[in-house]
Structure formats: C-alpha cells, structure tokens
Amino acid sequence: MHLNAYLRQGENLSLWVGRRSPNKQIAPNKLDNLVAGGIGNEHGVRETLLKEGEEEASVPASVMSQAISAGAVSYRMETALGIRDDVLFVFDLEMPADFVPKNRDGELVHFELMPVSTVLERIRETSDFKFNVNLVILDFAVRHGLLRPDDPEYLDVATGLHRPLD
C-alpha cells in the first residue's frame, strides 16, 4: 500500500517525499512515498493505511481517512530468490496546507515537499527513489495529466503499470 500525499498550490502540485532511514535493510537512504507499507496478516488495506499514516508521518486518522483509493500498480522483478510478482494498492490524499509530517517509527528520517516536476525529473535522471516508488509516482502523474500522451514514454508507462500477473 502506497500513498501519494500531495499539495495543490494554484495550478501546481507538489508531493510529500520521505527519505528512508540509512538503517533500512531494503533501499536505505532512498526517497519514498510519505506513507507506504506491507499489509500485515489479519489487517485490511484501509486499516494498514491508517496505521502506517500515523506511524510513518503522524497523519491524523481524520485526515488519512480522506485518502482516495486510486487503483493498483503491478510489476514483476527478479530477486536473489527468483521472480517476484507484486501488487501495490495506491491511494491519493490532498494534504492540508499546514500539514508537517513527523516520523514515529524511525523508518523515514527526513521529509520534503517537492514540486511534481522536480520529482519526475529525478525519476527520469537518477536512482534516488526506491525502486517501486517510481511506479506509484508515475501512475499518479498519468492520472493527474502530468505525463501526457504526447510524452515519448507515456504509452510504455500507462500500459506497463497495470499488467496482469500470471
């Protein structure tokens, strides 16, 4: 489950981005969504969203409950253990202008509100983001018209994010 937490400032959109702890086993120091987490046993997607929002960014349940389910991103990757299929449930949440995230569980060590244009540029030109976070943000960009059909990578991105898993 991943949350695109964004702020609308006139015509411009910015995304809240977190930096993962250097102590994380997977993707230390990489940039991440404001809120993300695996769905634990006996926990539903919405319950996990609320729990992770509080732990990772101190988002009050009253705000987090306004998150909108925006679909799912699916991907396949090769790991040391073999091929892995994964599905990420995606949510969007327009944040209040006065919101300032604070981490409670130590997974994220820094937060930054970045213009979406900067985020997309970093996705295109660097490996700053955790490997699957790129997919979630690109999905956000397609759905919000930030990546358009006349962009050279549009069709690959728009179709590649929603492949059926075997």
Side-chain angles (χ1 to χ4, degrees):
M1 174 279 316
H2 282 248
L3 175 76
N4 292 299
Y6 67 96
L7 181 63
R8 186 178 309 276
Q9 299 162 306
E11 299 268 327
N12 301 315
L13 287 179
S14 295
L15 283 170
W16 276 107
V17 174
R19 179 163 303 277
R20 296 168 64 82
S21 167
N23 301 322
K24 293 289 290 178
Q25 184 176 6
I26 297 172
N29 285 317
K30 293 287 188 175
L31 297 177
D32 205 339
N33 289 113
L34 182 71
V35 175
I39 301 164
N41 291 338
E42 300 181 21
H43 293 91
V45 177
R46 178 68 63 180
E47 181 183 355
T48 300
L49 176 72
L50 294 173
K51 177 181 82 64
E52 294 291 334
E54 182 61 35
E55 290 175 0
E56 293 187 357
S58 300
V59 182
S62 61
V63 172
M64 191 60 96
S65 65
Q66 297 174 41
I68 297 168
S69 175
V73 169
S74 56
Y75 65 96
R76 175 175 287 154
M77 63 183 260
E78 188 173 352
T79 71
L81 301 174
I83 301 296
R84 174 182 167 186
D85 287 328
D86 205 356
V87 175
L88 305 174
F89 294 100
V90 176
F91 292 84
D92 290 347
L93 177 59
E94 186 167 357
M95 302 304 289
D98 62 349
F99 173 75
V100 178
K102 294 177 195 76
N103 185 266
R104 293 187 180 195
D105 65 5
E107 291 187 27
L108 298 172
V109 295
H110 175 75
F111 297 99
E112 185 175 348
L113 185 61
M114 285 186 192
V116 173
S117 58
T118 301
V119 172
L120 293 175
E121 181 178 320
R122 287 179 83 166
I123 286 173
R124 282 185 180 109
E125 297 178 8
T126 73
S127 59
D128 292 347
F129 282 88
K130 183 176 175 253
F131 62 92
N132 59 2
V133 173
N134 290 331
L135 305 176
V136 174
I137 293 171
L138 288 171
D139 181 63
F140 178 87
V142 169
R143 289 184 290 101
H144 288 266
L146 305 167
L147 193 61
R148 297 192 169 107
D150 55 347
D151 291 319
E153 66 270 14
Y154 179 84
L155 194 55
D156 287 339
V157 170
T159 60
L161 295 172
H162 306 285
R163 296 181 181 248
L165 302 174
D166 295 339

